[in-house]
């Protein structure tokens, strides 16, 4: 293709394109402006959400830590824990069956007044 | 100083001044991006959505040097347009305008500034160009639009299209040939 002809062709099409750029409707220009306005706002808007998420996460961890049993408690109650562990090792129904104190107490005179209360 | 690029090479086009902020860059490229998307998508709303998405994606590159924004933006927009075109294939065809005057009907055009006859002539000339561009394979359309209409240099066009500079020249040459055949008939 002849370079001069090529250059004329490019110039002509560029002019048609430039005219089209100048004739974009106000509605489209408004939407482009709106789209552009959203761009710089986005990273700034993300920070409050990130901060709020981080804060609520930390709060949840702190509350969770409050509910955890303290590390020294098991040391102080060691015998009780040992007894509890021994009882836990037995099956549930054998505890009642093999403890005569409960049946003795039920048969005693202390039980009916307590039940009447 | 202008340097003669030698025989067989594309003449380098004067580069516009660099934008100092991303907002300024997007303000300058907005209508151009819209026209590019409109030619590829045949729908004003789809074109605006693609441009808006591309602008949002540019946020990730705001820390990059301003020199890189132009090829990056066009590359993002080009990929967005391909995505929307894929989605459009699933839509019912009768929902879109078809037929002879499709290019002109789907073009956004404000008539207020010029006299009716001049504005009509300009609109017709651009509608013919868009119709011819829409008839080209996507790569040829991209090469012609970015290189000739958007006046990007070969290196930036290659970066925006994700191909070699040689491929850009091949696509551009084929696009020019096909467009000239179609558009010269009207003159």
């Amino acid at each position: 293709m002849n370079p001069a002809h090529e250059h004329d062709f490019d110039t002509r099409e560029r002019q048609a394109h430039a005219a089209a750029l100048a004739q974009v409707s106000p509605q489209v220009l408004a939407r482009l402006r709106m789209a552009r306005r959203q761009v710089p706002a986005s990273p700034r808007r993300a920070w409050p959400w990130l901060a709020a998420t981080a804060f609520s996460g930390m709060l949840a961890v702190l509350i969770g830590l409050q509910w955890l049993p303290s590390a020294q408690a098991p040391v102080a109650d060691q015998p009780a824990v040992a007894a509890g562990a021994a009882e836990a090792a037995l099956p549930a129904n054998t505890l009642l069956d093999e403890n005569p104190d409960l049946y003795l107490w039920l048969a005693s005179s202390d039980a009916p007044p307590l039940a009447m209360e | 100083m202008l340097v003669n690029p030698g025989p067989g090479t594309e003449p380098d086009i004067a580069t516009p001044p660099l934008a100092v902020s991303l907002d300024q860059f997007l303000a300058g490229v907005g209508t151009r991006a819209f026209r590019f998307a409109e030619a590829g998508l045949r729908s004003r709303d789809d074109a605006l959505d693609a441009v808006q998405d591309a602008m949002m994606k540019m946020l990730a590159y705001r820390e990059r040097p301003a020199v890189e924004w132009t090829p990056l933006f066009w590359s993002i927009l080009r990929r967005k347009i391909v995505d929307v075109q894929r989605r459009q294939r699933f839509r019912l065809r009768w929902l879109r305008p078809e037929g002879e005057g499709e290019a002109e009907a789907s073009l956004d055009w404000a008539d207020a500034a010029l006299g009716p006859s001049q504005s009509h002539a300009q609109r017709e000339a651009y509608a013919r160009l868009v119709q011819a561009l829409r008839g080209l394979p996507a790569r040829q359309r991209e090469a012609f639009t970015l290189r000739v209409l958007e006046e990007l240099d070969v290196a930036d066009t290659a970066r925006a299209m994700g191909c070699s500079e040689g491929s850009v020249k091949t696509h551009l040459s084929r696009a020019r040939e096909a467009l000239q055949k179609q558009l010269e008939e009207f003159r």
Side-chain angles (χ1 to χ4, degrees):
Chain A
M1 193 187 293
N2 177 10
H5 188 219
E6 195 176 271
H7 179 74
D8 289 348
F9 175 76
D10 287 359
T11 308
R12 224 172 18 240
E13 300 316 324
R14 218 174 273 142
Q15 279 169 355
H17 183 247
L21 292 177
Q23 296 292 314
V24 172
S25 71
Q27 293 91 342
V28 168
L29 290 175
R31 277 231 15 215
L32 289 172
R33 253 197 313 275
M34 228 168 63
R36 219 167 53 239
R37 245 181 253 140
Q38 284 173 0
V39 171
S42 299
R44 272 181 240 138
R45 244 188 289 154
W47 283 111
W49 285 108
L50 280 175
T53 310
F55 179 73
S56 54
M58 273 175 57
L59 205 67
V61 168
L62 283 174
I63 290 170
L65 285 173
Q66 294 291 319
W67 285 92
L68 279 177
S70 63
Q72 289 178 346
V75 180
D77 301 330
Q78 215 165 10
V81 170
E87 278 177 19
L90 292 168
N93 55 351
T94 55
L95 276 174
L96 285 175
D97 290 347
E98 294 172 13
N99 191 351
D101 289 347
L102 173 68
Y103 300 100
L104 284 173
W105 178 79
L106 281 173
S108 72
S109 56
D110 295 341
L114 192 66
M116 293 297 285
E117 284 176 13
Chain B
M1 190 177 76
L2 286 174
V3 179
N4 186 1
T9 55
E10 299 289 330
D12 272 340
I13 297 157
T15 47
L18 286 176
V20 290
S21 68
L22 187 62
D23 188 54
Q24 193 190 349
F25 168 77
L26 294 176
V29 84
T31 48
R32 293 176 168 277
F34 169 72
R35 286 299 188 199
F36 180 70
E38 188 187 42
L41 294 171
R42 302 160 193 243
S43 154
R44 194 178 79 161
D45 289 334
D46 285 348
L48 280 167
D49 287 346
V51 173
Q52 184 167 354
D53 286 353
M55 284 180 171
M56 296 301 282
K57 271 214 154 185
M58 270 306 284
L59 264 182
Y61 303 101
R62 68 187 313 150
E63 301 305 328
R64 293 277 193 96
V67 192
E68 294 179 18
W69 288 345
T70 302
L72 270 170
F73 178 77
W74 289 108
S75 166
I76 292 168
L77 182 61
R78 197 181 59 76
R79 274 177 279 147
K80 272 277 157 234
I81 290 169
V82 172
D83 286 349
V84 178
Q85 279 169 340
R86 282 192 193 127
R87 280 206 301 273
Q88 280 180 339
R89 282 188 205 130
F90 290 98
R91 288 188 204 160
L92 293 172
R93 292 189 72 80
W94 55 267
L95 287 175
R96 288 192 285 143
E98 292 279 344
E100 283 287 307
E102 182 195 349
E104 202 165 346
S106 63
L107 281 182
D108 178 81
W109 202 268
D111 299 306
L114 297 166
S117 62
Q118 197 182 350
S119 174
H120 184 70
Q122 285 182 343
R123 184 179 180 158
E124 267 194 350
Y126 184 67
R128 275 198 299 272
L129 171 62
V130 169
Q131 198 161 16
L133 282 170
R134 284 173 181 170
L136 294 179
R139 301 297 273 171
Q140 290 181 26
R141 185 177 62 236
E142 289 164 6
F144 185 83
T145 310
L146 295 176
R147 185 79 184 93
V148 176
L149 304 183
E150 295 306 330
E151 306 184 46
L152 265 61
D153 60 25
V154 185
D156 278 354
T157 308
R159 270 198 291 273
M161 288 178 64
C163 64
S164 68
E165 294 185 13
S167 299
V168 170
K169 287 175 184 171
T170 308
H171 289 311
L172 178 60
S173 159
R174 287 177 186 163
R176 254 203 206 106
E177 201 177 325
L179 288 173
Q180 273 194 327
K181 265 185 201 160
Q182 286 190 59
L183 295 170
E184 292 298 316
E185 288 171 12
F186 291 97
R187 297 190 173 104

